[in-house]
Amino acid sequence: MGQKAPLIKRGKNWNINWMYDGQTVRQSLKTPNIVDARETAKGLIEMALKGKWDAITKTKGKAGNWSTIGELVKAYKGAQEINGNADATIEKNIKSLYHIMYHGGLGITEEAPGWVRRAEANKLSMSCLNIKTINAFKKFHISRAGMDKKKLDQAHETINSYLRSSRAMFSKKCMKNKVYDHLKIGGHKDLLECTFMPTIDKKNYKLPEAKVLKAVWSNVDTLLEDMKTLRTWVCFHLAAYVGLRRNEILHARWRWFEVDEDGNHFVRTKIEPDFRPKDFEERDIGVPVDLRAKLQQLALSKGWPTGPHDYVVPKGKQNPGAIKPGDGRVFRDNEKGERGLKGLSKYLTKHGWDRLQKAHELRKIYATEANKHNSTIDVMKSLGHGDIKTTMRYVMPQKSKPVNYDFENETAAEG
């Protein structure tokens, strides 16, 4: 083709380092074999000669620089309204991307405060989201599991969860809404195409053992004996009897509790200054008649504020009627922003609960129990699921009942 492109070996693999028409192609050819490397390099050169720069992963040089992680995150946050993502979704997806980078062998200071680590990650180019980073991140979680099969399966689930969440930043919705059109997006192909880890099939949700469930429910009032576990008691009730998500529990206000004209008690997830539900849609969840009274009785006995806009799970008490950020001086429980959810995990583990996602498992139990007395469609709406398949994974019975139906008869009876 009349062009020469130097190939350089870095580590095991060959790399191309070539400039043409003022643009640079500098990337790994992902093979230690020089013959294969030459063929791959020829393909890149051919695309460059045809002007197909968008099909080439350019990682260095002025024209080929990919945007930084910081620019990517800023654009994604800025598109929340147009994408219709809940605050918790945005936070989860961005945290997942950072987590992969923190444990991806990129030299980000592990002991540094969170804001320092984010600042270091934000400076990096998107080209850092390569297979080397992904593999180092996977190895980090796998090594922590050791030879324990159950822990290994949990590690695989954790890895897959981080991958799914970080990939969501490049969803079809983001591309359709042209979230990143003003940026030089690229270098993340390995993140989108890397394989998920194998996990045990969990299509049909199974409740924990009966003795574990009994131990958890029969001992929950012991959490009222210590100031450090009072918020844990509140979190338990919001997860098990309302089915709220983790972020919903932490942002629930007293004004979410309502009673309609027929005397039905329910919780309505509302949009707040610091919280927006998924797809910005409020949903109504039927709750036990005495639930608010039980929670409020505890709050009033401790002088916690119970105004319409106050948190159901308090952030901390300076004096009756006033709240302040930070929990240490009041609760002394080292919960930081978790406000009772860490204590919930400890409590469940103490009574034999061996599931990985503690609060979310209570949400599943809520769904399972609610489905015994309500239609699956209603349970789906209560949970805020967008697809009934998600709800069906753990609320539908393991065996379907045979039914008889005769169109000419007025009633259809079970067989």
Side-chain angles (χ1 to χ4, degrees), residues 68-70 98 101-102 105-126 128:
T68 64
I69 297 297
Y98 282 131
M101 298 173 67
Y102 294 159
L106 297 174
I108 297 175
T109 311
E110 204 163 321
E111 296 78 16
W115 67 271
V116 173
R117 300 173 79 188
R118 286 201 173 200
E120 290 182 30
N122 286 340
K123 294 176 184 177
L124 298 176
S125 163
M126 285 184 62
C128 71

Side-chain angles (χ1 to χ4, degrees), residues 357-377:
Q357 296 176 307
K358 304 298 191 300
H360 201 71
E361 287 291 323
L362 288 176
R363 173 173 154 86
K364 290 182 179 181
I365 288 174
Y366 159 85
T368 304
E369 294 301 314
N371 192 63
K372 292 178 180 178
H373 310 286
N374 303 274
S375 73
T376 306
I377 291 291

Side-chain angles (χ1 to χ4, degrees), residues 4-50:
K4 291 183 179 179
L7 302 187
I8 303 169
K9 199 165 189 181
R10 291 178 179 169
K12 294 181 180 180
N13 295 332
W14 287 96
N15 292 251
I16 184 173
N17 187 353
W18 174 60
M19 177 174 284
Y20 174 72
D21 196 24
Q23 301 205 59
T24 301
V25 179
R26 186 176 297 168
Q27 66 188 66
S28 172
L29 299 171
K30 298 181 181 179
T31 176
N33 187 300
I34 186 60
V35 176
D36 294 337
R38 282 174 178 158
E39 290 303 310
T40 302
K42 285 180 182 179
L44 294 173
I45 292 170
E46 188 174 359
M47 283 190 286
L49 293 175
K50 292 180 180 179

Side-chain angles (χ1 to χ4, degrees), residues 118 129 144 168 203 211 238 248 262 283 285 373:
R118 286 201 173 200
L129 303 177
R144 297 174 73 191
K203 288 182 180 178
K211 64 179 182 180
L238 292 177
E248 292 168 345
D262 296 322
R283 69 183 194 277
I285 307 163
H373 310 286

Side-chain angles (χ1 to χ4, degrees), residues 241-242 256-268 283-294 296 366 382:
Y241 292 100
V242 191
W256 289 19
F257 286 92
E258 297 186 11
V259 182
D260 64 19
E261 56 186 13
D262 296 322
N264 298 310
H265 291 244
F266 60 94
V267 163
R268 174 173 292 165
R283 69 183 194 277
D284 293 341
I285 307 163
V287 297
V289 174
D290 64 341
L291 180 62
R292 175 176 179 151
K294 287 176 66 176
Q296 207 163 39
Y366 159 85
S382 176

Side-chain angles (χ1 to χ4, degrees), residues 164-178:
R164 287 192 192 94
S165 296
S166 57
R167 285 178 177 181
M169 294 181 66
F170 308 99
S171 65
K172 290 181 180 179
K173 185 186 289 185
C174 283
M175 300 307 151
K176 182 181 178 182
N177 292 332
K178 300 180 180 180

Side-chain angles (χ1 to χ4, degrees), residues 238 244 247-254 256 310-313:
L238 292 177
L244 294 182
N247 209 45
E248 292 168 345
I249 291 172
L250 295 178
H251 289 92
R253 279 17 181 227
W254 286 107
W256 289 19
D310 288 320
Y311 294 101
V312 179
V313 184

